[in-house]
Amino acid sequence: MKDKIKKLAKERNAIILAHNYQPPEIQDIADLCGDSLELSIKAAGTDADIILFCGVHFMAETASILSPEKIVLLPNKDAGCPMADMIHPDLLMAKLETLPPMPVVTYVNSSAAVKALSTICCTSANVVKVVNSLDADEVLMTPDRNLARYAAAHTRKKLHFWDGCCPFHDRLSAVDVKKAKEAYPDAIVMAHPECRTEVLEIADIVLSTAGMIQYAKTSGHRSFIVGTEIGLLYPLQKENPDKNFYPAATNLMCPDMKKITLEDVAASLEFLIGQIKVPEPIRIRAFKAVQDMIAIR
Ligand code: 13P
Ligand code: SF4
């Protein structure tokens, strides 16, 4: 199956991008694995004819927003993001009517239609930079309340936030982390900013998924408690075979991130199944929000 995928990708001039939470066999066949920011930058800059995205729906949409001339494939159409589904453009417009005029910072984990209503996007890697770049004292952040609270702790601006979250990061508690610390007292606690404030407050460091891989590589520490979706354990261990990684809890699994199989990838490449195309009027407005974010990085 892996040989078939490599051959098809070459014939079609396709690039395979995979998020760091994807299953090991998917990460192993990808041309690039990364966090949302790295994958967006790659999707904006590739000269491939086809971008095959192993991730969830909003990630393939972002690739289509950035590279409208390319075919973008999501090999399993059911791979969505429960957090992205916690906001709808109509509800966002209604919320904006209740607030004084202010910029809207939207996490990339959102639909193209919500991005189109936003001033600028952000990822977990650049949220603080993006918020602080705005020439405004008050900002509305959507859809992740935990990411917004994290940003609020690192800015002088007043942040209003949408009451959404990643159900898997949000289920990690301070009690879970304390238990993990008792079990592995020498380990450094790394947490993702989608986690609750009570977790971020006791973490040693707060990073995006790519940030965690980079930190584990360059840090002198040997053991790490990993406060994010369980899929990150694979690239962490692969890149650092001599270091130890422990999940902060055993229930941090996102089923949507595990939906794409090697068979799906092969079928998608062979028959161009799973094409994602953002309608042009929405794309143009969403493009500005994503492109302005990439310019800041
Ligand atoms: P990052 O890899 O950008 O940190 O994103 C985490 C995530 O939840 C993606 O769905
Ligand atoms: Fe969405 Fe959370 Fe799954 Fe990421 S891990 S795709 S934020 S539900």
Side-chain angles (χ1 to χ4, degrees):
M1 193 53 76
K2 286 182 184 174
D3 290 344
K4 183 177 176 181
I5 291 169
K6 289 272 172 223
K7 190 166 166 274
L8 281 166
K10 202 165 174 209
E11 280 166 15
R12 290 216 177 264
N13 188 26
I15 185 169
I16 302 179
L17 304 182
H19 187 265
N20 290 325
Y21 295 156
Q22 286 289 295
E25 65 278 13
I26 298 287
Q27 295 200 33
D28 286 345
I29 51 112
D31 295 299
L32 178 89
C33 298
D35 68 0
S36 300
L37 183 59
E38 292 174 332
L39 295 171
S40 303
I41 292 167
K42 190 69 187 173
T46 176
D47 57 8
D49 295 321
I50 295 177
I51 301 173
L52 183 137
F53 221 114
C54 297
V56 293
H57 191 264
F58 75 79
M59 295 180 172
E61 269 196 342
T62 304
S64 168
I65 289 166
L66 290 164
S67 292
E69 72 293 354
K70 298 191 194 307
I71 293 174
V72 176
L73 301 171
L74 178 67
N76 185 322
K77 66 172 176 33
D78 295 332
C81 169
M83 166 159 36
D85 294 339
M86 290 181 192
I87 185 166
H88 184 277
D90 293 345
L91 295 175
L92 175 54
M93 281 197 293
K95 171 91 178 170
L96 286 171
E97 276 171 24
T98 69
L99 293 170
M102 66 182 68
V104 180
V105 176
T106 291
Y107 194 25
V108 284
N109 300 29
S110 56
S111 68
V114 170
K115 289 183 176 79
L117 291 176
S118 306
T119 314
I120 190 164
C121 286
C122 72
T123 73
S124 59
N126 61 14
V127 58
V128 175
K129 239 185 189 177
V130 167
V131 168
N132 283 332
S133 76
L134 295 168
D135 185 17
D137 297 328
E138 295 189 37
V139 172
L140 172 64
M141 278 207 65
T142 76
D144 186 356
R145 61 174 183 249
N146 291 332
L147 188 75
R149 286 183 183 130
Y150 168 69
H154 293 87
T155 182
R156 300 166 85 97
K157 297 183 196 302
K158 179 174 177 189
L159 295 194
H160 301 259
F161 52 87
W162 197 266
D163 197 14
C165 67
C166 166
F168 312 106
H169 285 85
D170 194 63
R171 61 166 66 140
L172 181 65
S173 68
V175 172
D176 294 327
V177 175
K178 282 178 190 157
K179 272 191 201 150
K181 274 174 108 165
E182 273 165 33
Y184 307 107
D186 296 334
I188 292 289
V189 178
M190 303 191 290
H192 193 276
E194 287 175 22
C195 294
R196 287 191 229 159
T197 308
E198 65 180 48
V199 168
L200 302 187
E201 278 172 357
I202 56 169
D204 294 302
I205 190 150
V206 178
L207 292 163
S208 75
T209 60
M212 288 186 196
I213 295 172
Q214 184 60 20
Y215 179 77
K217 224 191 254 182
T218 51
S219 149
H221 296 281
R222 312 228 47 85
S223 298
F224 303 85
I225 293 165
V226 183
T228 193
E229 206 273 342
I230 208 104
L232 194 68
L233 272 288
Y234 177 67
L236 279 170
Q237 200 66 75
K238 191 174 165 184
E239 302 254 348
N240 302 281
D242 55 337
K243 297 191 177 182
N244 306 309
F245 300 96
Y246 309 105
T250 51
N251 59 354
L252 306 179
M253 204 273 279
C254 171
D256 282 276
M257 277 287 180
K258 316 300 173 199
K259 285 188 175 160
I260 295 173
T261 63
L262 289 177
E263 286 74 15
D264 293 334
V265 174
S268 180
L269 277 175
E270 190 164 6
F271 305 111
L272 300 183
I273 295 169
Q275 296 193 35
I276 302 290
K277 184 96 188 134
V278 175
E280 198 57 10
I282 292 177
R283 191 197 71 79
I284 290 167
R285 285 183 291 144
F287 178 82
K288 186 175 168 4
V290 180
Q291 191 55 48
D292 286 357
M293 170 195 83
I294 289 179
I296 290 173
R297 294 206 167 185

